[in-house]
Amino acid sequence: LNPALSNEGAANFVRRVESNADLAVHIFDIQVTAENAALVADIMTGRTENRSIDDADMKLVGQVVRQTEFLDTLNLKNNYIASDGVSELIVALDNARRPIQHLILDGNVLSDAAAGFLSRFFRENRALRVLSVNGCALSRLATIQLLTAVLEKGMSWEASNNFSDDRPTSGDIPMEPELCILGCEIPAQRAHLVIQLLKDSLHDVLCNWEEAECELVGKAIRQSVFVRELSLQPVQDKIEIHRLASIVTAFCGSVMDNVKLNIWGYDISKRDT
């Protein structure tokens, strides 16, 4: 069968196969059996969160992603996907009939190799606008790789589309590339701040920062296990004190114990923040 069905319509048809062990159906060039019908239907309707999907299942996920035309978001949150599964997924996304715009991989334990695959794919694939990898136990290197990818993607995106600050949006997905990591939604234009933070090189004049930038750095400080110290030199007669206070408050709420903040040359421990 190759019916002109909606995602719900196709999924409802597929679910009927689940109760018939003697029946196999080819729909959208996917072989559906009683054994895999439930997973195929869930993929078609975007219900792939918390499904215990592992690398062995990713071939089937890839088949559905390649063949169907009604998915623009793929939510694989809280599964068991590793390097092989990510590699299989990227091949599928590269050849999908309808390009995926929003990919959610939160809660999967991704290796540096998997993060490398994702970084290259995110940077090079024009359709994918939002990548979410919160809670993926990423290393510092992998985190910086992904942040660099969204930064570079944003540069090429802006150059090719000449977006302004009042750029339009498409549905709920921002036109500007965005990376969700460290519990933050990081737009491409601000990724450099978090990269510098993770590299311990965020030596900047705080009065030049926008409030949203202070908020973003604060969130990253609270969530990251890599940020142990930060040195800032705010210009005293220009600093908006609530911006400085937001950074100090972030250190107070850091998930790490032995963190150190240096402002105007004074070391401030977490206990003293």
Side-chain angles (χ1 to χ4, degrees):
L1 299 171
N2 194 18
L5 294 172
S6 67
N7 53 345
E8 287 290 348
N12 287 338
F13 182 86
V14 166
R15 286 194 177 98
R16 295 176 185 271
V17 183
E18 190 177 0
S19 59
N20 191 334
D22 298 321
L23 179 65
V25 171
H26 285 262
I27 183 168
F28 304 124
D29 294 326
I30 302 160
Q31 181 167 320
V32 182
T33 64
E35 188 176 81
N36 67 17
L39 179 55
V40 171
D42 283 345
I43 299 166
M44 286 178 168
T45 52
R47 299 185 181 98
T48 41
E49 184 176 340
N50 299 309
R51 281 289 275 105
S52 299
I53 295 170
D54 59 18
D55 284 2
D57 298 316
M58 289 306 291
K59 186 172 183 179
L60 181 61
V61 173
Q63 278 185 304
V64 179
V65 168
R66 272 194 294 270
Q67 297 298 333
T68 55
E69 297 184 2
F70 33 68
L71 283 175
D72 57 17
T73 295
L74 183 59
N75 184 354
L76 293 165
K77 183 177 180 179
N78 294 337
N79 285 290
Y80 303 101
I81 303 166
S83 294
D84 290 344
V86 168
S87 180
E88 184 82 42
L89 177 63
I90 287 173
V91 171
L93 293 175
D94 262 336
N95 295 280
R97 286 187 180 180
R98 177 172 180 173
I100 295 292
Q101 298 179 51
H102 195 158
L103 177 60
I104 304 169
L105 292 171
D106 299 354
N108 293 281
V109 180
L110 301 179
S111 65
D112 283 5
F117 299 151
L118 278 173
S119 297
R120 286 191 295 274
F121 175 72
F122 189 32
R123 184 169 53 244
E124 295 168 6
N125 187 284
R126 286 183 56 85
L128 183 60
R129 292 176 183 157
V130 180
L131 173 64
S132 186
V133 288
N134 283 310
C136 287
L138 295 164
S139 68
R140 182 197 295 260
L141 174 64
T143 303
I144 291 173
Q145 271 187 318
L146 286 161
L147 286 162
T148 304
V150 73
L151 178 65
E152 293 174 353
K153 185 182 180 79
M155 289 176 181
S156 60
W157 193 279
E158 190 158 350
S160 60
N161 293 280
N162 195 26
F163 286 151
S164 62
D165 288 338
D166 58 348
R167 54 181 65 102
T169 58
S170 174
D172 293 328
I173 301 174
M175 296 297 288
E176 182 180 10
E178 185 175 275
L179 177 67
C180 301
I181 196 170
L182 299 175
C184 307
E185 296 174 358
I186 303 174
Q189 62 178 329
R190 295 200 172 107
H192 69 283
L193 286 172
V194 185
I195 293 171
Q196 289 174 315
L197 179 68
L198 296 181
K199 288 183 173 180
D200 296 326
S201 60
L202 191 61
H203 305 294
D204 208 338
V205 179
L206 200 58
C207 67
N208 292 335
W209 290 8
E210 298 175 10
E211 190 166 346
E213 292 174 328
C214 287
E215 184 181 342
L216 175 60
V217 170
K219 280 184 180 179
I221 288 170
R222 279 193 294 273
Q223 296 294 326
S224 177
V225 297
F226 309 122
V227 180
R228 296 183 178 274
E229 58 183 87
L230 177 63
S231 179
L232 292 171
Q233 294 293 329
V235 177
Q236 297 185 47
D237 59 346
K238 295 181 180 179
I239 184 69
E240 291 186 37
I241 199 66
H242 69 278
R243 296 188 184 182
L244 179 58
S246 70
I247 300 295
V248 176
T249 303
F251 262 85
C252 188
S254 171
V255 295
M256 302 295 290
D257 288 327
N258 299 319
V259 291
K260 185 173 66 175
L261 179 62
N262 185 292
I263 303 177
W264 296 305
Y266 295 98
D267 287 335
I268 304 171
S269 68
K270 182 176 180 179
R271 186 186 65 184
D272 296 331
T273 50

